[in-house]
Amino acid sequence: MKNIARFKTKLTDLLGISHPVLCGGLMWLADAKYVGAVVNAGGMGFITPRSFSGLDTFRTALKDCRKITEGKDFGVNLYISSRPHENDKLPGFIETALEEGVRIFETAGASPKAYLDILKKSESKILHKVTAIKHALKAQEIGVDAVILVGAECGGHPGENLIPSFVLGAKARQHLNIPMIIGGGIGTGEQLLAAIAQGADGILMGSRMLVSKEIWAHRDYKEHLIKLDENNTSSVLSTFGNIYHCLDNDTAKAVAELELSGEADFEKYRHFVQGTLQKQAYETGDYNKGLLSMGPAITFANSIELAGKIIEDIVEDAYGAYLQLSENVIHLDQRSTRIKQDEKNAF
Ligand SMILES: Cc1cc2nc3c(=O)[nH]c(=O)nc-3n(C[C@H](O)[C@H](O)[C@H](O)COP(=O)(O)O)c2cc1C
């Protein structure tokens, strides 16, 4: 792979990476092999600590990733719950990551405020992922290094107001002075260029990357994904104020039916929403099992490829689109010549 840097932005400077491309944390899936491949391709990826059975296996993944990247920096995803008791494991994740030399964190969910001191003391870079402008502004105010804005199109949790990525990005650009990244529904080079043209410093992808060869999930799951288009995802669980964007499979359909019937007792949903079902689906390839995070950007995934190839194609396509766009722009001198010609023709 060529891995030629085409775009220099505040994000590439902040993280010391070749391409303004982040691949967000993927529960169960963002392990050493996948994140290492993303980093080696010139982007930045984030290992998800909650995917591991304990701190020991998490530490092993960090060491493995360090080996795969030959010492290059890689990131860790910290999901922060708004229910404090669910964050019991976070201090252990942070301590282990810092001990293993990790200095780049993608925080998501609730505010990272409680963890900023320890992360800042170690000179870590904190990129906070949000779904609303007010949270982006708050994150800037408390001192994160960059904000990732993911819109309604994103796989997983798109927030409650379902604001599209381009609206979020354009609005955020008017108010943020720290680097900002747009995510949600992104999977092509033209979109990367459009995001940068819009004032973003980079993009973040999740769904598009699920068909990467380095993603350990069963081949049947990936074979299914490459047949999908933008109509094959679904939004469920709005009943509980926690919208979830996932593959439109048998489980999502069953949950949607329960919601349509007006069922509001969470106990009736519990057996559908267990995270362990997702793991089983990835292990067995039975993609109808569990609610599997996914957004419509899956439509851009048409073959099972190396993560590095996906990233390189996106960057090269963005560059090609930029060159094409430059050709289409009518430059000032050409325009005045044309105006003069038009005036002449008028007489
Ligand atoms: C399978 C899957 C698992 C995810 N798990 C997490 C996670 O554990 N933590 C997190 O912050 N985001 C998670 N996300 C969200 C992604 O990091 C990213 O924000 C999102 O996928 C971007 O939108 P896109 O899917 O349209 O590219 C997940 C997304 C997917 C598709």
Side-chain angles (χ1 to χ4, degrees):
M1 271 171 279
K2 289 183 283 189
N3 203 357
I4 302 169
R6 298 292 193 188
F7 300 94
K8 181 175 150 52
T9 69
K10 284 191 219 158
L11 177 68
T12 57
D13 288 348
L14 178 74
L15 303 184
I17 52 179
S18 305
H19 307 308
V21 174
L22 306 180
C23 297
L26 303 173
M27 182 63 189
W28 302 121
L29 302 174
D31 62 3
K33 198 172 170 192
Y34 168 70
V35 170
V38 168
V39 167
N40 285 342
M44 181 51 65
F46 304 89
I47 291 184
T48 42
R50 291 178 306 131
S51 307
F52 298 91
S53 54
L55 288 181
D56 285 354
T57 42
F58 173 46
R59 190 185 294 279
T60 304
L62 299 176
K63 286 187 190 301
D64 289 349
C65 198
R66 184 75 61 199
K67 261 187 227 144
I68 293 169
T69 64
E70 297 176 348
K72 284 194 283 296
D73 273 335
F74 60 88
V76 160
N77 171 279
L78 298 173
Y79 182 77
I80 304 164
S81 173
S82 52
R83 292 181 283 264
H85 66 276
E86 289 179 6
N87 293 327
D88 292 352
K89 291 186 174 156
L90 276 176
F93 293 155
I94 293 173
E95 197 183 322
T96 308
L98 291 177
E99 280 170 7
E100 293 301 325
V102 174
R103 293 294 180 270
I104 300 172
F105 292 89
E106 175 197 42
T107 54
S111 169
K113 194 168 181 208
Y115 309 96
L116 277 192
D117 269 357
I118 181 163
L119 294 175
K120 287 269 174 191
K121 238 179 241 158
S122 57
E123 298 186 4
S124 295
K125 305 277 188 284
I126 303 134
L127 296 86
H128 187 52
K129 190 159 67 179
V130 299
T131 56
I133 297 293
K134 65 177 179 185
H135 296 140
L137 294 176
K138 193 77 204 156
Q140 171 171 268
E141 194 185 308
I142 63 173
V144 304
D145 297 279
V147 168
I148 305 162
L149 296 123
V150 283
E153 303 91 326
C154 76
H157 297 283
E160 291 316 300
N161 294 328
L162 298 180
I163 310 296
S165 307
F166 257 39
V167 176
L168 271 186
K171 180 78 194 238
R173 185 65 291 163
Q174 297 170 356
H175 298 282
L176 293 176
N177 43 46
I178 56 175
M180 53 163 268
I181 295 98
I182 305 180
I186 297 182
T188 72
E190 288 79 2
Q191 287 173 299
L192 165 59
L193 182 68
I196 292 175
Q198 200 192 31
D201 299 291
I203 55 165
L204 174 129
M205 295 183 291
S207 300
R208 171 67 187 92
M209 303 302 292
L210 293 173
V211 296
S212 301
K213 277 195 179 155
E214 295 87 349
I215 289 274
W216 64 263
H218 199 283
R219 196 167 174 97
D220 289 355
Y221 162 77
K222 293 192 221 174
E223 293 283 0
H224 181 61
L225 299 199
I226 60 177
K227 291 188 217 127
L228 304 180
D229 66 21
E230 64 281 7
N231 301 299
N232 298 118
T233 60
S234 166
S235 284
V236 293
L237 299 179
S238 59
T239 307
F240 303 98
N242 188 19
I243 298 173
Y244 188 67
H245 214 162
C246 57
L247 174 66
D248 189 21
N249 61 6
D250 289 353
T251 310
K253 285 188 172 73
V255 168
E257 242 173 65
L258 261 184
E259 290 193 277
L260 259 181
S261 76
E263 182 58 67
D265 176 3
F266 187 73
E267 286 313 311
K268 301 273 167 40
Y269 293 80
R270 195 174 287 283
H271 62 290
F272 290 125
V273 302
Q274 282 162 19
T276 46
L277 284 184
Q278 300 170 335
K279 189 167 178 234
Q280 283 171 30
Y282 299 141
E283 279 166 354
T284 61
D286 179 357
Y287 47 80
N288 277 308
K289 227 187 198 109
L291 293 178
L292 306 178
S293 296
M294 200 175 297
I298 198 64
T299 193
F300 303 122
N302 300 316
S303 61
I304 300 169
E305 289 172 305
L306 292 169
K309 171 88 169 72
I310 298 175
I311 292 174
E312 179 178 305
D313 284 351
I314 286 176
V315 171
E316 287 303 307
D317 286 352
Y319 183 60
Y322 164 74
L323 295 179
Q324 183 62 55
L325 186 62
S326 309
E327 267 182 37
N328 293 350
V329 170
I330 300 170
H331 296 287
L332 207 53
D333 49 346
Q334 286 172 324
R335 195 174 338 152
S336 50
T337 316
R338 222 176 264 185
I339 290 167
K340 274 182 203 143
Q341 191 62 46
D342 287 349
E343 281 168 358
K344 235 179 175 177
N345 294 343
F347 293 104

